[in-house]
Amino acid sequence: MPTNFTVVPVKDGRRSRKKNEEDDDDEDNNVLREEDEDAALPGDGNPKESSPFIHNTDNDRGNLYDGKNMALFEEEMDSNPMVSSLLNKLANYTNLTQGAQEHEEADDDEGPAKKKAVKSPQMGTFMGVYLPCLQNILGVILFLRLTWIVGTAGIMGSLAIVFMCCSCTMLTAISMSAIATNGVVPAGGSYYMISRSLGPEFGGAVGLCFFLGTTFAGSMYILGTIEILLTYIVPKAAIFVAEKKEDEVEALLNNMRVYGTCCLALMSLVVFVGVKYVNKLALVFLACVILSIFAIYAGVIKTAIEPPDLPVCLLGNRTLQNHNFDKCLKTEEIDNVTVTTKLWALFCDSADLNATCNEYFLFNNVTEIQGIPGLASGVIQDNMWGDYGPLGMLVEHKRLDSVPAADSSQDMYLPYVANDITTFFTLLVGIYFPSVTGIMAGSNRSGDLRDAQKSIPIGTILAIATTSFIYVTCVVLFGACIEGVVLRDKFGDSVKGYLVIGTLSWPSPWVIVIGSFFSCCGAGLQSLTGAPRLLQAIARDGIVPFLKVFGHGKANGEPTWALLLTAAICEIGILIASLDAVAPILSMFFLMCYLFVNLACAVQTLLRTPNWRPRFKYYHWALSFLGMSLCLSLMFICSWYYALVAMMIAGCIYKYIEYRGAEKEWGDGIRGLSLNAARYALIRLEEAPPHTKNWRPQLLVLLNVDPDMAVKHPRLLSFTTQLKAGKGLTIVGSVQEGTYISKETEAKKAEQNIKASMTTERTKGFCHVVVSSNLRDGFSHLIQSAGLGGMKHNTVLMAWPGTWKQASDPVSWKNFIETVRETTAAHQALLVAKNVDSFPSSLERLGEGTIDVWWVVHDGGLLMLLPFLLRQHKVWRKCKMRIFTVAQMDDNSIQMKKDLQMFLYHLRLDAEVEVVEMHDSDISAFTYEKTLVMEQRSQMLKQMQLSRTEREREAQLIHDRNTASHAALNDKADAAPHVQMTWTKEKFFTERNRNREPNMGVRDLFNMKPEWESLNQSNVRRMHTAVKLNEVVVNKSQGAHLVLLNMPGPPRNRGGDENYMEFLEVLLEGLNRVLLVRGGGQEVITIYS
């Protein structure tokens, strides 16, 4: 969308003033600015964010913003730059190549005299993208295997292979162009694009796969170099020489291993000494590739005019290896005497005419045909379809007849041309695919481009189009010019050991041989140069901890350690020694990389993230999905087991980074995808409440922190981990008293400490710290508003207020009781852990013991469900579950036990069942004594609270009225600040005397003779229940690892709140680990499937 900008100049009124006035104004402005900064409160101004472009110093800020025309915005200028400054920084921004920054730092260390000026990137589309891509795409497979692929798969099969592979890379290039033009792409190329688009996990996994692919590509190029050297240039240099024909393959592989290792060591040394030499030779290697391509087309044109003389000898319809004979004859006439030829000696036991010869040799004649009949010969019809076969299958001419021999067991020892591997279509796809890789060469050089967003799409797509045209035309022309038996001859044995594609070239076969040799050398060096830098980029990102060592290198940034690892992995490919076996391996890794490039583009397009604004407009998510599907299909077409191994490697790396890697926030698409998926799921969850079968405790854990913002009860988080085992929702909440502006720092510190404790205790969930005027309101806000949509908590977990008796301020236990009431009102379950600090940590393993459930009232089945969930964790796994229920006088305890056992059987729970009988008994004196002490303590607390409230109210009243009638009273209040005169003068003196001797008053209250008749009989009955039930529970469950007990509800009359705490204290007395459970009014367990 075109956008018009108008720049409006704003004049500075100061310029018309005198110099001394300017100096005064400057000083005033500085003073004002300092005062403003000192007076700033938390929450004022704008939050500061780091920018990759802006690195202003204080001096810069003073120079830029001294004017008064922008005084209205001077508060923002401390954190946000003016537009003029931003544009200036953007204009001077230089995207340095990878390693250039280290070079600059090294130059700085040498001294200012030696500092070099950094040149801005100047490479255009042709030199920076098109030619590097061309050089990387065209390579060893074109020269060494394309003719064999055409002969084996036929023209139609080869065109299908080329079309699939080139379509895959073209679709990937379209996706890559969209990503590359969506902002500045620093040096790092494909790894940077994938990691910043799909996140560190995908980025690290695919980056390492791309590294392995590039490394194995180096192996392939080195093997290609050695194959050309030993097969076509200096065959006599072979160390291992086969004495028998059947040993030729093994000898070749051993030679490849020895020479390949030496070549790898030499190339690694060149890269280590200086990559600049590799870059200087790049143009030479590129010239070799282009010259070889032109030589092929020139040779094809020449065949149409004058086909070359390249005879091929056939025995019957079988192709012969033309190494050890010079004439395609069995016998010849010399001076009217029939003599045998060298060919005769290969098939017969002697040179005599009456010698014993091979049966097939005797039955069939030898025929000599032209290996390159030319374009006008019509050989294209014979090469249209494929000719696949097993290992050892002889290469035969389709149109010639032969007389079969009865015994063919000796054929493998005779000089026939045969398949060295089993051939089939999918194998050829895997071998061919590396010839279309290299499309990332332009994006890898993004730091050197003048305009990367323009050059990368144009250069890459043009390079793919050019190479696709070359491959398609080569397939057709090879099939139209060369005889089929020669095409299927992989190593040129039928044409005296020449490179098959070299026999077609003009003016000499050596043009192709030398050109392909240097091309493979250059490609190998480029791989050994690029792979270590890619590994270094991954290591320096810090997303894979064990790779950090590979981020280091020489003083100038050269990745020495990464080069060593690259060479070691490359050696593995060389020890495989077969070009045909290594090619499918690197195909897997490249295909996986291309797959995720397409996925990244598709995800970003479908999510429509605000930052997704690529300049390249010719993309669509459907094309990206098609490219992704094609990549996945090609992976399994090439080799399904290699594909599974590659995916397993990527998956392991992904999980490792997710589990151990550093957390990075790159604004990646996977995070956006997660947000969209979460939003969709939350909307779906909102539609209906969860079914009983899907119910699990979604916890809101209420934590308290000490004055240092440290977690008071970390074992509460341990218990949460053991109960949840990572499943469902966990929200850990805490409340800070005060206002958010004044408590912002403390709240953030508390949140950090809670998150650290959650990490230590392995609690997976969310942390939410609320700042409120008081704790009660804060916990109320958490209970009401924690969670989102359908992902809301249904259970509250908190610790028992163990110090409620010692607290002079009853806020602690009042907050506790109000929390109990609010969870009940919100229809949420409540779990209260008593003596929570004695609960086991997640690293402990409890021995054999019991988890005792005291099922007094039905709570929806939560008491049954909690022990089952706990026993899923290894801490509680060895514990057995016991269920106790209480029978009254009218109950049949035997029948109750049977019914409970049947109920547990249907619930699929394993537990011992015991019914405890509690007979009605007289209320003991101990119970009356407990009740009396409780009521007296409650009355004392009320009086103390009442007097405190009255004092505060009177002090405020005196301050507000400020009248003479209260002056005398105010003086008395000053003399005794804790005494208030609220109601009457008599009341004032009574209160003052009581406050002067508080200890005596308390002692008198507790030494009073109990008058049991005046006690509240309801409290007596409650205390009786608590005492009797506590006796039973302690008798049965004192040695249990954990006791779960129904939690009685608080009284409806708030006047008895302090008594409620006493009842609970008596009920839990003598028990170590107790979990009080209060249901939320919903059935949470069912007998149905």
Side-chain angles (χ1 to χ4, degrees), residues 709 711 745-759 767 769:
M709 300 299 125
V711 176
T745 305
E746 289 86 346
K748 288 182 178 178
K749 183 179 179 182
E751 186 172 354
Q752 290 176 354
N753 292 340
I754 292 174
K755 286 183 177 179
S757 297
M758 291 173 68
T759 303
C767 177
V769 177

mmCIF file of all heavy atoms in Angstrom, residues 709 711 745-759 767 769:
data_model
loop_
_atom_site.group_PDB
_atom_site.id
_atom_site.type_symbol
_atom_site.label_atom_id
_atom_site.label_comp_id
_atom_site.label_asym_id
_atom_site.label_seq_id
_atom_site.Cartn_x
_atom_site.Cartn_y
_atom_site.Cartn_z
ATOM 1 N N MET A 709 10.509 -11.167 49.789
ATOM 2 C CA MET A 709 9.850 -11.655 48.584
ATOM 3 C C MET A 709 10.213 -13.113 48.262
ATOM 4 O O MET A 709 10.095 -13.553 47.115
ATOM 5 C CB MET A 709 10.187 -10.786 47.354
ATOM 6 C CG MET A 709 9.770 -9.340 47.502
ATOM 7 S SD MET A 709 7.985 -9.162 47.723
ATOM 8 C CE MET A 709 7.939 -8.239 49.243
ATOM 9 N N VAL A 711 9.520 -17.240 48.758
ATOM 10 C CA VAL A 711 8.334 -18.076 48.970
ATOM 11 C C VAL A 711 8.379 -18.684 50.365
ATOM 12 O O VAL A 711 9.406 -19.250 50.783
ATOM 13 C CB VAL A 711 8.276 -19.186 47.899
ATOM 14 C CG1 VAL A 711 7.104 -20.107 48.169
ATOM 15 C CG2 VAL A 711 8.157 -18.563 46.518
ATOM 16 N N THR A 745 7.981 -2.833 41.836
ATOM 17 C CA THR A 745 9.265 -3.529 41.929
ATOM 18 C C THR A 745 9.149 -4.775 42.791
ATOM 19 O O THR A 745 9.633 -5.851 42.426
ATOM 20 C CB THR A 745 10.332 -2.586 42.517
ATOM 21 O OG1 THR A 745 10.379 -1.395 41.733
ATOM 22 C CG2 THR A 745 11.693 -3.261 42.510
ATOM 23 N N GLU A 746 8.493 -4.635 43.971
ATOM 24 C CA GLU A 746 8.331 -5.795 44.847
ATOM 25 C C GLU A 746 7.504 -6.885 44.177
ATOM 26 O O GLU A 746 7.798 -8.077 44.314
ATOM 27 C CB GLU A 746 7.664 -5.381 46.164
ATOM 28 C CG GLU A 746 8.560 -4.550 47.071
ATOM 29 C CD GLU A 746 8.501 -3.069 46.735
ATOM 30 O OE1 GLU A 746 7.979 -2.733 45.656
ATOM 31 O OE2 GLU A 746 8.976 -2.250 47.554
ATOM 32 N N ALA A 747 6.468 -6.491 43.442
ATOM 33 C CA ALA A 747 5.624 -7.480 42.772
ATOM 34 C C ALA A 747 6.417 -8.255 41.718
ATOM 35 O O ALA A 747 6.288 -9.477 41.605
ATOM 36 C CB ALA A 747 4.414 -6.797 42.136
ATOM 37 N N LYS A 748 7.240 -7.538 40.952
ATOM 38 C CA LYS A 748 8.038 -8.220 39.928
ATOM 39 C C LYS A 748 9.078 -9.140 40.562
ATOM 40 O O LYS A 748 9.340 -10.243 40.074
ATOM 41 C CB LYS A 748 8.708 -7.194 39.024
ATOM 42 C CG LYS A 748 7.724 -6.490 38.096
ATOM 43 C CD LYS A 748 8.426 -5.512 37.161
ATOM 44 C CE LYS A 748 7.424 -4.867 36.209
ATOM 45 N NZ LYS A 748 8.061 -3.881 35.314
ATOM 46 N N LYS A 749 9.669 -8.674 41.664
ATOM 47 C CA LYS A 749 10.642 -9.518 42.352
ATOM 48 C C LYS A 749 9.971 -10.771 42.911
ATOM 49 O O LYS A 749 10.512 -11.878 42.819
ATOM 50 C CB LYS A 749 11.313 -8.727 43.473
ATOM 51 C CG LYS A 749 12.405 -9.510 44.194
ATOM 52 C CD LYS A 749 13.058 -8.675 45.277
ATOM 53 C CE LYS A 749 14.127 -9.489 46.007
ATOM 54 N NZ LYS A 749 14.756 -8.708 47.108
ATOM 55 N N ALA A 750 8.782 -10.585 43.494
ATOM 56 C CA ALA A 750 8.047 -11.736 44.015
ATOM 57 C C ALA A 750 7.709 -12.706 42.888
ATOM 58 O O ALA A 750 7.827 -13.934 43.047
ATOM 59 C CB ALA A 750 6.771 -11.273 44.723
ATOM 60 N N GLU A 751 7.308 -12.176 41.744
ATOM 61 C CA GLU A 751 6.981 -13.043 40.609
ATOM 62 C C GLU A 751 8.212 -13.816 40.138
ATOM 63 O O GLU A 751 8.123 -15.015 39.851
ATOM 64 C CB GLU A 751 6.410 -12.193 39.472
ATOM 65 C CG GLU A 751 5.908 -13.012 38.296
ATOM 66 C CD GLU A 751 5.183 -12.167 37.272
ATOM 67 O OE1 GLU A 751 4.983 -10.967 37.540
ATOM 68 O OE2 GLU A 751 4.820 -12.711 36.219
ATOM 69 N N GLN A 752 9.357 -13.144 40.079
ATOM 70 C CA GLN A 752 10.585 -13.833 39.679
ATOM 71 C C GLN A 752 10.946 -14.928 40.663
ATOM 72 O O GLN A 752 11.320 -16.042 40.260
ATOM 73 C CB GLN A 752 11.736 -12.822 39.572
ATOM 74 C CG GLN A 752 11.606 -11.855 38.404
ATOM 75 C CD GLN A 752 12.714 -10.811 38.407
ATOM 76 O OE1 GLN A 752 13.510 -10.742 39.336
ATOM 77 N NE2 GLN A 752 12.737 -9.983 37.379
ATOM 78 N N ASN A 753 10.827 -14.641 41.964
ATOM 79 C CA ASN A 753 11.157 -15.651 42.972
ATOM 80 C C ASN A 753 10.198 -16.832 42.920
ATOM 81 O O ASN A 753 10.600 -17.988 43.083
ATOM 82 C CB ASN A 753 11.147 -15.029 44.368
ATOM 83 C CG ASN A 753 12.282 -14.036 44.569
ATOM 84 O OD1 ASN A 753 13.266 -14.067 43.839
ATOM 85 N ND2 ASN A 753 12.142 -13.153 45.535
ATOM 86 N N ILE A 754 8.920 -16.539 42.699
ATOM 87 C CA ILE A 754 7.944 -17.635 42.607
ATOM 88 C C ILE A 754 8.232 -18.497 41.382
ATOM 89 O O ILE A 754 8.184 -19.736 41.436
ATOM 90 C CB ILE A 754 6.514 -17.072 42.575
ATOM 91 C CG1 ILE A 754 6.143 -16.442 43.917
ATOM 92 C CG2 ILE A 754 5.505 -18.161 42.224
ATOM 93 C CD1 ILE A 754 4.814 -15.726 43.944
ATOM 94 N N LYS A 755 8.551 -17.860 40.242
ATOM 95 C CA LYS A 755 8.882 -18.628 39.041
ATOM 96 C C LYS A 755 10.130 -19.466 39.255
ATOM 97 O O LYS A 755 10.216 -20.611 38.787
ATOM 98 C CB LYS A 755 9.058 -17.685 37.852
ATOM 99 C CG LYS A 755 7.753 -17.128 37.311
ATOM 100 C CD LYS A 755 7.990 -16.243 36.087
ATOM 101 C CE LYS A 755 6.667 -15.750 35.512
ATOM 102 N NZ LYS A 755 6.874 -14.867 34.348
ATOM 103 N N ALA A 756 11.111 -18.903 39.970
ATOM 104 C CA ALA A 756 12.320 -19.677 40.265
ATOM 105 C C ALA A 756 11.984 -20.885 41.139
ATOM 106 O O ALA A 756 12.495 -21.996 40.906
ATOM 107 C CB ALA A 756 13.354 -18.786 40.948
ATOM 108 N N SER A 757 11.116 -20.681 42.134
ATOM 109 C CA SER A 757 10.703 -21.803 42.986
ATOM 110 C C SER A 757 9.915 -22.831 42.185
ATOM 111 O O SER A 757 10.070 -24.042 42.399
ATOM 112 C CB SER A 757 9.861 -21.295 44.160
ATOM 113 O OG SER A 757 10.613 -20.434 44.988
ATOM 114 N N MET A 758 9.079 -22.370 41.264
ATOM 115 C CA MET A 758 8.335 -23.304 40.419
ATOM 116 C C MET A 758 9.290 -24.140 39.563
ATOM 117 O O MET A 758 9.078 -25.342 39.372
ATOM 118 C CB MET A 758 7.352 -22.536 39.532
ATOM 119 C CG MET A 758 6.203 -21.904 40.278
ATOM 120 S SD MET A 758 5.179 -20.830 39.235
ATOM 121 C CE MET A 758 4.432 -22.038 38.139
ATOM 122 N N THR A 759 10.340 -23.496 39.044
ATOM 123 C CA THR A 759 11.331 -24.241 38.263
ATOM 124 C C THR A 759 12.057 -25.254 39.130
ATOM 125 O O THR A 759 12.269 -26.406 38.722
ATOM 126 C CB THR A 759 12.343 -23.264 37.636
ATOM 127 O OG1 THR A 759 11.640 -22.308 36.841
ATOM 128 C CG2 THR A 759 13.345 -24.003 36.767
ATOM 129 N N CYS A 767 2.277 -17.966 36.752
ATOM 130 C CA CYS A 767 2.432 -17.206 37.986
ATOM 131 C C CYS A 767 1.682 -15.881 37.848
ATOM 132 O O CYS A 767 1.732 -15.242 36.803
ATOM 133 C CB CYS A 767 3.910 -16.960 38.270
ATOM 134 S SG CYS A 767 4.205 -15.948 39.727
ATOM 135 N N VAL A 769 0.968 -12.442 40.251
ATOM 136 C CA VAL A 769 1.110 -11.665 41.486
ATOM 137 C C VAL A 769 0.218 -10.439 41.371
ATOM 138 O O VAL A 769 0.306 -9.673 40.408
ATOM 139 C CB VAL A 769 2.572 -11.253 41.723
ATOM 140 C CG1 VAL A 769 2.687 -10.389 42.969
ATOM 141 C CG2 VAL A 769 3.446 -12.489 41.867
#
